[in-house]
Amino acid sequence: MAEVPRSTSVRFARSESDRVLLGVAGGTGERIGVDPLVVRLAFVLLALAGGVGFVAYLVAVLASQEPEPGQDQQTRPAEGRRTVAFLLILAGALLLLRTAGLWLGDGVVWPAALAVFGSVVLWTRADVGRSRLSRLLSRSSTGTVRLVTGAVLIAVAIGLFAAIGRRSGLLANAPAAASAVVVVLVVVVGPWVTKVARQAREERRERIRSEERAAMAAHLHDSVLQTLALIQRAEDPRRMATLARSQERELRGWLYGRPATGGPSTLASAFEAMVAQVEQEHGMPVEAVMVGDAPLEDRTAGLVSAAREALVNAARHSGARTASLFVEVSPEGIEAFVRDQGSGFDPAEVATDRRGIADSIEGRIARAGGDVAITTAPGEGTEVRLRLPLPVSKEAP
Amino acid sequence: MTDRVRVFLVDDHALFRSGVKAEMGDAVEVVGDAGDVATAIARIGETDPDVVILDVHLPGGGGAAVIEGVRREAAADPRFLALSVSDAADDVIGVIRAGARGYVTKTIAPGDLLSAIQRVHDGDAVFSPRLAGFVLDAFAGAPPAGALDPEIDQLTPREREVLRFIARGYTYKEAARELHIAVKTVETHVSSVLRKLQLTNRYELSRWAADRRFD
């Protein structure tokens, strides 16, 4: 059930929690399901074998993704072990480089290594994943100890560098001295800069997330919660259904990116808006189906108004529970069908008193150059067919 | 009525499942229900129902995953009726192309749901007006160039007529009366449209279905 979702991509995330250097071994181990220690040993052995491990590690860093922040930080290994591990790796790597001949001289490398180690002691975060007690201790004494140790190590490194450098004449030329200063700055300040940058990134991500949450909460409050409150007070089931339905429509539009604001610009959206309004005002659900779409202009807008009139009639006079609307835009023209399965009527009998309604449907469509057909009989329901021949947007010849 | 249709419900809302059960009452026999894909596949294999009522959105892969899982693993061979709040085209088409024989929305009246279950059980197809609208939309225009089987990539004029009646809110019976044909003939046309819907290479349809596959 609770299967870990695995990404199908080749890229894997470096581990945020289980890391000695950059979390590559932790991430790799997590991804392929092997103890990270094995992965680390593999890297070290490969590194001893002619430096392949270094290349592999670099490739892995480039190929992997940023670690996901905030995931199981409690698995971070104990601080002491990490420091020792780092020290061992560093010493091993340096010895290897020395043997391989990739060496700048004892006077540069050993002080640099000492400075890096001091920096690690200074900047590693000691306050994550430990008991409250040890965190308390680290804030008071251990923290100070780390600070002092780190500073002393770096100071010693600088002194050593200066002493050896002066003796061997390495610092005689200005570029070498300048780059030594830069290296020291990078080593001492670099970790702090990346740490601050990472915190800023995390904060930004968190802020975006909470803004999204606030926007969503505001929207749901204004729409869904309001409607739910109204539904609780509504006594008439029909009104309840209408409220639920119009809210559903609105929520759906919001979720699927059809904003409810602004006037409709196409025939389909005009029909949608019209149906929503009729449902709202007359408490009758309308099953609306649209096939195709066309630009909204005077003629087609007339069709929407006529269909609206037909739906309102169905709501007022048919007694049916629901009505159907089907609109189809085809190369030949636009057809709209409004149908209810209500009482129906005898067109001959109602001709006199409902003349006005027929006019408002038939008149509109006639002005737009279309025609209307009404199919009905007592007890048979009613269907109004509205038809506009295309081309809709053609200029008068 | 001893041989009632044996129905299995799949929906991740327990409230909705009990609501449907209550609505259908004794008209069908509900043999089981499930709230996620894995449970559904396992329980459908055990209970061997006639008809599975299937929600489109489910934790663990969606309705289409249930259909594929049952086809692949389970001993049962039920028919599937999709029931959903969604009216997004890719949802509807995805589950139909996975093998569902019908699609109705959750706002359907209880009586209509029962007859939809019966119709799916009898091997016919159930098209809501909305599904009919989607199909008309998707099959509008000429079939794609280089189609292997042009028969499958377009609707016959008669099938189009039947679908238009369904989209207008006509029942199969009413459509049959208007077209002066037998109800059985209407059912045949709709089943044929369902087959085309499942097999066609029309771009929109295969894309909609493909989009669904990875949720």
Side-chain angles (χ1 to χ4, degrees):
Chain A
M1 280 285 92
E3 200 185 339
V4 181
R6 285 196 176 183
S7 86
T8 48
S9 100
V10 193
R11 285 165 72 85
F12 65 95
R14 296 195 294 274
S15 176
E16 158 105 326
S17 53
D18 188 3
R19 55 194 272 186
V20 171
L21 287 174
L22 296 170
V24 168
T28 315
E30 213 169 272
R31 176 64 193 260
I32 61 179
V34 171
D35 190 324
L37 187 64
V38 176
V39 181
R40 270 182 205 120
L41 277 174
F43 272 127
V44 170
L45 286 175
L46 282 172
L48 290 171
V52 181
F54 289 114
V55 179
Y57 195 90
L58 272 178
V59 169
V61 170
L62 294 177
S64 58
Q65 292 166 327
E66 281 276 294
E68 303 263 326
Q71 288 194 335
D72 46 36
Q73 299 210 326
Q74 53 273 55
T75 57
R76 184 184 275 263
E79 187 72 13
R81 268 183 54 200
R82 287 180 54 225
T83 314
V84 171
F86 182 78
L87 194 66
L88 287 175
I89 288 176
L90 191 65
L94 287 173
L95 282 174
L96 184 79
L97 283 173
R98 193 162 188 249
T99 321
L102 293 165
W103 199 244
L104 294 170
D106 286 347
V108 177
V109 178
W110 291 124
L114 205 59
V116 167
F117 180 59
S119 170
V120 167
V121 172
L122 258 183
W123 297 120
T124 41
R125 281 154 46 185
D127 54 345
V128 189
R130 295 165 114 206
S131 74
R132 197 179 295 169
L133 182 72
S134 70
R135 218 179 304 157
L136 205 71
L137 280 173
S138 87
R139 200 168 299 147
S140 53
S141 59
T142 321
T144 324
V145 167
R146 280 191 325 129
L147 191 73
V148 171
T149 316
V152 165
L153 280 171
I154 288 166
V156 166
I158 293 171
L160 211 62
F161 181 61
I164 300 176
R166 192 173 306 124
R167 187 144 31 97
S168 62
L170 196 71
L171 285 188
N173 52 2
S179 50
V181 171
V182 168
V183 167
V184 170
L185 278 178
V186 166
V187 163
V188 177
V189 183
W192 178 72
V193 171
T194 54
K195 195 167 149 182
V196 167
R198 189 161 89 183
Q199 271 172 2
R201 215 163 50 227
E202 272 170 27
E203 267 166 29
R204 193 167 155 267
R205 216 177 313 186
E206 185 52 42
R207 201 173 57 240
I208 290 172
R209 221 174 293 157
S210 70
E211 271 169 14
E212 277 169 1
R213 209 165 25 226
M216 189 177 289
H219 179 89
L220 291 181
H221 181 268
D222 290 346
S223 56
V224 178
L225 289 182
Q226 294 286 359
T227 308
L228 286 176
L230 280 175
I231 286 176
Q232 283 171 42
R233 274 186 312 194
E235 310 238 312
D236 172 19
R238 242 162 75 127
R239 165 127 182 91
M240 253 188 253
T242 310
L243 280 169
R245 216 179 145 85
S246 72
Q247 182 56 63
E248 180 196 329
R249 184 188 306 281
E250 192 271 343
L251 186 60
R252 207 187 279 289
W254 188 66
L255 287 176
Y256 300 133
R258 281 176 279 153
T261 51
S265 60
T266 68
L267 189 66
S269 55
F271 266 109
E272 238 169 68
M274 180 275 281
V275 166
Q277 208 186 357
V278 170
E279 288 189 335
Q280 187 82 43
E281 286 170 10
H282 298 274
M284 182 182 65
V286 177
E287 177 85 50
V289 176
M290 288 281 318
V291 172
D293 205 350
L296 188 66
E297 44 194 66
D298 284 352
R299 279 182 78 201
T300 47
L303 185 71
V304 178
S305 312
R308 182 195 155 84
E309 205 60 48
L311 278 174
V312 169
N313 277 344
R316 281 199 190 130
H317 305 294
S318 76
R321 199 175 56 86
T322 64
S324 304
L325 167 70
F326 172 59
V327 183
E328 186 178 32
V329 182
S330 69
E332 293 82 43
I334 307 173
E335 275 187 299
F337 297 86
V338 174
R339 180 166 189 260
D340 70 68
Q341 289 174 283
S343 53
F345 59 92
D346 183 345
E349 276 182 24
V350 293
T352 44
D353 58 323
R354 278 212 236 155
R355 196 65 228 170
I357 293 162
D359 271 348
S360 75
I361 296 175
E362 281 166 355
R364 272 201 182 95
I365 296 296
R367 276 195 296 282
D371 58 77
V372 178
I374 298 176
T375 315
T376 184
E380 291 282 302
T382 305
E383 184 171 53
V384 179
R385 188 192 71 176
L386 314 167
R387 192 173 58 177
L388 280 190
L390 281 183
V392 170
S393 51
K394 204 170 122 184
E395 303 290 316
Chain B
M1 289 289 280
T2 45
D3 42 340
R4 291 180 299 166
V5 181
R6 305 175 73 247
V7 173
F8 192 96
L9 288 174
V10 185
D11 194 296
D12 55 332
H13 297 103
L15 204 62
F16 185 79
R17 294 203 299 268
S18 54
V20 170
K21 270 191 227 170
E23 271 177 8
M24 294 191 298
D26 291 335
V28 296
E29 184 190 350
V30 179
V31 294
D33 60 69
D36 62 80
V37 172
T39 321
I41 294 171
R43 296 272 296 124
I44 288 169
E46 289 161 19
T47 53
D48 191 18
D50 298 322
V51 175
V52 175
I53 299 180
L54 192 62
D55 191 5
V56 170
H57 295 282
L58 286 173
V66 174
I67 300 181
E68 281 156 14
V70 169
R71 293 271 152 85
R72 200 174 48 237
E73 295 164 22
D77 186 23
R79 297 206 160 97
F80 293 91
L81 172 64
L83 180 71
S84 171
V85 288
S86 171
D87 54 10
D90 51 356
D91 286 342
V92 183
I93 302 302
V95 77
I96 292 285
R97 284 186 61 110
R101 293 205 60 86
Y103 184 96
V104 291
T105 50
K106 281 185 176 174
T107 45
I108 190 172
D112 293 345
L113 179 58
L114 283 173
S115 61
I117 291 170
Q118 189 59 51
R119 185 155 270 142
V120 166
H121 178 51
D122 295 342
D124 292 321
V126 173
F127 275 31
S128 63
R130 197 166 291 276
L131 178 53
F134 283 145
V135 176
L136 284 170
D137 228 354
F139 280 91
L148 291 176
D149 187 353
E151 281 289 290
I152 278 172
D153 290 320
Q154 59 190 337
L155 303 177
T156 66
R158 199 55 151 186
E159 286 163 354
R160 191 169 286 278
E161 261 179 305
V162 169
L163 284 183
R164 290 180 89 236
F165 272 111
I166 295 171
R168 279 155 72 178
Y170 283 66
T171 62
Y172 289 10
K173 213 167 108 186
E174 289 166 337
R177 199 182 55 202
E178 292 294 318
L179 290 167
H180 306 291
I181 54 179
V183 180
K184 201 67 216 161
T185 313
V186 171
E187 285 169 353
T188 309
H189 284 307
V190 177
S191 292
S192 150
V193 171
L194 180 83
R195 198 175 62 87
K196 291 181 178 180
L197 190 53
Q198 287 169 341
L199 296 179
T200 180
N201 289 316
R202 268 188 182 268
Y203 173 66
E204 304 91 327
L205 293 166
S206 32
R207 193 197 42 182
W208 284 339
D211 285 350
R212 273 292 124 210
R213 198 148 295 237
F214 297 107
D215 69 351

